[in-house]
Amino acid sequence: MKVHLFSAILFSAFSLTAQKNPVPATSWADRQRGFDRHQLLLGQSPVRGVPFRSVGPTVMSGRIVDLDADPADPTHIFVGYASGGLWETRDNGASFEPLTDALPNPVVGDIAVDRSRPGAPIVWLGTGENNSSRSSYAGNGIYRSADGGRTWRYLGLAESHHIGRIVLHPTDTNRAWVAVLGHLYSPNPERGVYRTLDGGRNWERVLFANDSTGAIDLAMDPRNPDVLYAATWERDRRAWNFKESGPASGIYKTADGGQTWNLVSGPQSGFPQGAGIGRIGLAVHPSGVLYASLDNQTRRPKEKKERPDEGITKDTIRGMSADAFAALDDEALERFLRSNGFPEKHTAQSVQQQVRSGQLAPQALVEYLEDANALLFDTEVTGAEVYRSDNGGQTWRRTHETPLDEVFFTYGYYFSQIRVATHDPEKLYLLGVPILTSDDGGRNWRFIGGDNVHVDHHALWVHPTRRGHLINGNDGGLNITYTDGKAWHRCNRPPVGQFYTVHVDMAEPYNIYGGLQDNGVWVGSSDYEESSGWLMEGRYPYRELMGGDGMQVQTDPRDNETVYTGYQFGNYFRIDRLSGAAKPITPKHELGERPLRFNWQTPIHLSVHQPDILYLGSNRVHRSMDRGDTWTALSGDLTLGGRKGNVPFGTLTALHESPLRFGLLYAGSDDGLLHVSRDGGYSWQRIGASALPADRWVSRVQASAHAEGRVYAALNGYRWDDFKPYLYVSEDYGATWKALHDKLPGAPVNVVREDPKNPDLLYVGTDNGLFASLDRGKTWAPFGKDLPPAAVHDLVVHPREGDLVAATHGRSLWVASVRELQQLDSAARQREIFAFKLPKTEFSDDWGNGWSRWLPPDTPLVQLPVFLRTGGALSVRILSEGGTEVWAWAGKVAAGLHYLPYDLAISEKTALALEKEFAKKQKKEKSPSEAKLVIEEAKNGRRYLPKGPYTVRFTLGKTTAETVWEIE
């Protein structure tokens, strides 16, 4: 791989001393072995045939990172979802088809489409999201499809992890440039700009900064494909801190197709300099006018101290003496306390008394407010800026005189993209929390979001000739406007929700609850089937309960209406679904104490022993005996104490109470600690210190419902770019541990669940799919049928219905019946054939008929489950009560669990035989008054089984097993 001496010398001044990670990043070779092992296990999996069904929801969609429309036919759109794969619509968003479900790691960073030749377009896919968020999954390089996304060829760049932009040569299909951002949570040298001259068979790195600086954007001058601009971005993300800027961030130009590069944002250019230079977006107009959007993290100068009439703020109190505090106006102090959420018991008079007596220092009021989010949300930065160059990047000027506030806030790493309309160099679009446009080259800006448009914008296609035709991708899916944002329509048909959590209640039918990335908490019936019919009915089958980033959910089983849920960083509420009332219930620290630390996904748990009892984890375990109205801290700090940074750290991430014993509690933290209390929280012991790996995030702890001392723990190294699985079990309350991950393919483990009925049956959700173990973790088998390749963040098994509900982070919610798996104990698995008890099927006169001849008829379908220990030539016969064979099937079947579909259709000959059999039975039983059986042909020309009992007989070699099935 070639590295230009020019680049190495140029960047030597900016080289960083890479921090050595205590947890090494997983190499591409190890990741590839994990993907290969997953495929091998899938081919042998005894559970690969378990059918899953998507239960949506779809209306809130998920984060889009890139999109591309055909200028000649803009109804043909490719849409890349951050963790949901690449999809295609050919009808302007009315329907979609997934294109990357066959890839091992379908997470999207950028796409580029080559339409320079007749026929299907050539699609380039860069994997690994470029937004550097908490759940921005790492890709495995770049792919190319020569047939519009139907098949893919892998092109390498394996250690790229996150790809910012792909730029294609307009006439040479073999030339492409790729902006590689690199690892998210660890330094690596495989960053910068790469070039291929042979369609991706070989790559040359042509621009490199250092191990912590990658390339985030590329733009080509439309007048000359050899002239390109590249934006580099220095960033360093840790679990406790995100440094989203640095002096190595900048803009570079090449005039020879990438062979050599020059810095065009240097000290004399007019472009900002220094450690605050963050993510940069680029756009070039056909005239050559160049624009750059900048996330400027440079701190703003401190404003002058507030005038007395501006009221009291925490900054006026900071460093204040007790005497100065005593001179504060009581009414102003009271306003300060109330507006900042201090508990009602703290009044101006009581606080003044505590300060006068020396019980409290004025600084305590400041510290009460400054939690771990203060550096993230309370820091004044320059924020969004737009710069313009009219001379190819030699000099730059800021386009606007006044600051562009409330566009990026302090998290510009998530945004900073800009577009310029082809038809007008003064027409700009800036993507941030809002979407803005300028008609005068960036001097003035206006908001163009609106109804049906989510916030947080990441992708925008601007029609090259039709003014005002925009296609926008954001955290809430796809929007299209033809009026430059005056009106939008929403195109959210794919099930691509990014779920963090899932929960079920005990209603009939039961409801499914889930919390999503930036799309709140939703609830809907488990019998939901995806359809656009709700547009006629006027009410979507799922309903939003909470906004923000949706988090964990618990429901009171006594009424199925009392819901405990919330949004990020521990903001929880008790919701009455009937009235809609929501009461904040987050526990608070005391005045004089440092603020509690809450994880992004703060754990909660409702006791199965007494549902008035709710547990919640900050950096301590809290218990409420009255449904969250009041709280008691059961523990001290169960973490290593936190670390300084702009992300809360040293927080609890996992919390569970034993279903077998009240007060047997487990808690896990983001810094790798695991604790147990066996006395209701009065005392806690650290467990697993010597047996479990250090520094890994405890993603789940699960106390067994079958053995009191048994507990499962899943740990996760994702935030070190460690993609190995970590899963353990203890049989003695955590005193000793045994690894269960040896047979799991390499992928971080997010959740482990024990089946409520079968103690040997375990489920595990990883960043690369869903697995089951029939032997309590000795071996693992991936689910495969219907379930797309997506990260599984949470799982729940409905105790009554026997349904497994999986929450994926990118492909919404999926449900599978695991009633058959629950019956596969060790004795059942030793049988050559195990035939399951079948549920009754309800007969319908509508089978084969429809209310209109122009509509498809209703057709029944049953799945006949059977487990084979070794597999082979299997035959299946269904026999009536009188012995008439109504259906037969034979074929070669592998070992494992299978669901054989039968549509209940029979031949005319079989129908006559059943009619005769029924008449003979009537005669024998002397029941002539009963109407005779007539099996009529349905409108679709088929006949269907009548009511009655049937025997299903499975034969494998010399072994036969039978089960009874009834149509009632």
Side-chain angles (χ1 to χ4, degrees), residues 134-322:
R134 288 171 177 80
S135 54
S136 292
Y137 285 104
N140 64 331
I142 196 164
Y143 293 83
R144 186 176 189 257
S145 173
D147 53 10
R150 270 60 196 164
T151 60
W152 296 92
R153 180 166 64 92
Y154 182 59
L155 301 182
L157 298 183
E159 289 290 352
S160 58
H161 277 209
H162 301 274
I163 287 179
R165 189 74 69 202
I166 304 170
V167 171
L168 307 180
H169 194 281
T171 58
D172 185 348
T173 60
N174 288 316
R175 292 179 67 186
W177 297 262
V178 178
V180 171
L181 192 52
H183 293 192
L184 178 56
Y185 284 99
S186 59
N188 75 300
E190 298 87 354
R191 303 173 186 255
V193 176
Y194 288 76
R195 179 181 66 176
T196 180
L197 303 177
D198 55 11
R201 286 184 290 274
N202 295 282
W203 293 94
E204 177 185 17
R205 188 175 66 185
V206 293
L207 181 63
F208 172 71
N210 57 54
D211 287 359
S212 295
T213 303
I216 183 60
D217 208 356
L218 281 168
M220 178 181 286
D221 189 328
R223 301 170 302 177
N224 183 350
D226 284 334
V227 176
L228 295 99
Y229 300 90
T232 58
W233 182 20
E234 182 177 328
R235 88 211 198 294
D236 179 44
R237 181 148 208 157
R238 303 290 164 170
W240 59 90
N241 189 62
F242 189 8
K243 186 176 79 69
E244 56 184 282
S245 62
S249 301
I251 303 172
Y252 295 83
K253 179 180 180 180
T254 178
D256 53 15
Q259 192 69 21
T260 57
W261 295 83
N262 293 298
L263 178 68
V264 293
S265 62
Q268 307 305 315
S269 69
F271 200 81
Q273 308 293 307
I277 307 306
R279 180 171 174 171
I280 298 169
L282 300 171
V284 188
H285 186 264
S287 65
V289 176
L290 174 62
Y291 288 97
S293 60
L294 170 64
D295 169 32
N296 193 336
Q297 289 291 302
T298 304
R299 301 299 184 259
R300 292 186 182 184
K302 283 200 173 213
E303 296 180 0
K304 293 181 181 179
K305 292 193 177 220
E306 293 84 359
R307 299 187 304 272
D309 60 350
E310 290 180 315
I312 299 171
T313 69
K314 67 179 182 180
D315 286 329
T316 61
I317 298 175
R318 193 186 306 274
M320 184 177 283
S321 68

Side-chain angles (χ1 to χ4, degrees), residues 918-919 921-932:
F918 185 81
K921 178 183 177 184
Q922 279 185 313
K923 185 176 180 181
K924 182 178 180 181
E925 296 177 354
K926 298 180 180 180
S927 53
S929 61
E930 188 174 340
K932 68 177 183 178

